[in-house]
Amino acid sequence: IIIICAMSMIKKYPELKDQSYLLDNKNIWNHNKYAFLKNLSSNLTHYSDNIILAGVLGVSSLTPFYINLRLPQVAQQVSQSLGGASWASLIKIYLTGDKDNFKKKFCITNKAITYVTFSILITIYLYNTHFISIWMDEKYILPYHFNIVACIMPILFALNSFWNFLITGSGNLNKVVPWILICSIVNFILSIIFSKYFGSVGVILG
């Protein structure tokens, strides 16, 4: 059905065959290369925590770590959706060259993401341990300082995700990829060091 619809669209609108408006292959490859490196770095940052924690503290530490992070991660997903819904309109303003308006809207969106995420995380911080004790068992509750750090990180992740959308959409990804790779490597090393000295919270601190 999809193939039939596509063929009918091409017949009805022959201008769709015209690809002269596309970037040349070299520019497309360069953009894909930087996007690949950014995604690789992000995946290394996000998915290496469990491996590091299991390697340093043992596999048994993964269950409390996951359970205590579950509610803060839900708040992070909600706040990231705000940035995901806002970046396209900001890029449209950016491409018009109206930098003053772009800066104004950028600051407003940053504040909105921060305030919404903070308001959600306050509630999660107050009730996270109670929820875990009801959901699983009190033995899975990690120390209060883990809960504090776990509720701060979603704000930073949400803002970072929003900024990444803007950087990619504005075509400036190549300017930040080296820094992203460096940060990813530093994050990996610090997560190992901090987890040895501070336990489960060290992975998040890294």
Side-chain angles (χ1 to χ4, degrees):
I1 295 174
I2 295 174
I3 294 174
I4 294 172
C5 291
M7 292 176 64
S8 63
M9 286 291 291
I10 291 174
K11 289 181 180 180
K12 188 174 182 180
Y13 302 102
E15 62 271 15
L16 292 175
K17 294 182 179 179
D18 182 15
Q19 298 183 356
S20 60
Y21 61 88
L22 294 175
L23 297 172
D24 58 80
N25 291 333
K26 184 177 180 181
N27 287 336
I28 292 175
W29 166 244
N30 285 335
H31 182 76
N32 289 338
K33 177 178 66 176
Y34 292 122
F36 170 76
L37 291 174
K38 182 185 80 69
N39 291 332
L40 179 65
S41 175
S42 298
N43 289 333
L44 175 63
T45 301
H46 290 301
Y47 297 116
S48 62
D49 290 349
N50 292 336
I51 299 174
I52 293 172
L53 198 62
V56 176
L57 300 179
V59 179
S60 60
S61 62
L62 292 178
T63 301
F65 180 77
Y66 174 81
I67 293 173
N68 283 262
L69 277 181
R70 194 68 194 101
L71 284 181
Q73 285 176 342
V74 171
Q76 178 181 322
Q77 292 171 359
V78 173
S79 56
Q80 283 180 333
S81 65
L82 291 175
S86 306
W87 71 271
S89 58
L90 285 173
I91 288 299
K92 185 176 180 180
I93 297 173
Y94 173 84
L95 294 176
T96 61
D98 189 356
K99 292 186 178 181
D100 291 335
N101 191 26
F102 172 79
K103 292 177 182 178
K104 180 181 178 181
K105 300 295 183 182
F106 173 75
C107 292
I108 291 174
T109 308
N110 269 300
K111 290 179 181 179
I113 293 173
T114 303
Y115 293 159
V116 170
T117 310
F118 184 77
S119 61
I120 297 173
L121 290 173
I122 284 293
T123 306
I124 290 176
Y125 172 75
L126 294 175
Y127 290 98
N128 195 25
T129 55
H130 300 289
F131 177 76
I132 294 171
S133 62
I134 296 172
W135 180 29
M136 299 292 291
D137 197 320
E138 291 186 357
K139 67 179 181 180
Y140 293 106
I141 299 175
L142 293 176
Y144 73 95
H145 57 269
F146 181 94
N147 202 20
I148 294 175
V149 177
C151 288
I152 293 175
M153 292 310 297
I155 299 177
L156 303 180
F157 274 117
L159 292 174
N160 181 63
S161 175
F162 172 58
W163 297 342
N164 278 332
F165 279 129
L166 293 178
I167 292 170
T168 304
S170 61
N172 292 307
L173 187 58
N174 61 310
K175 297 179 181 179
V176 298
V177 162
W179 296 105
I180 292 175
L181 293 175
I182 292 172
C183 288
S184 179
I185 296 171
V186 172
N187 167 78
F188 187 81
I189 296 173
L190 290 181
S191 294
I192 296 175
I193 297 174
F194 288 167
S195 60
K196 287 183 178 180
Y197 289 97
F198 304 114
S200 297
V201 72
V203 178
I204 309 178
L205 288 175

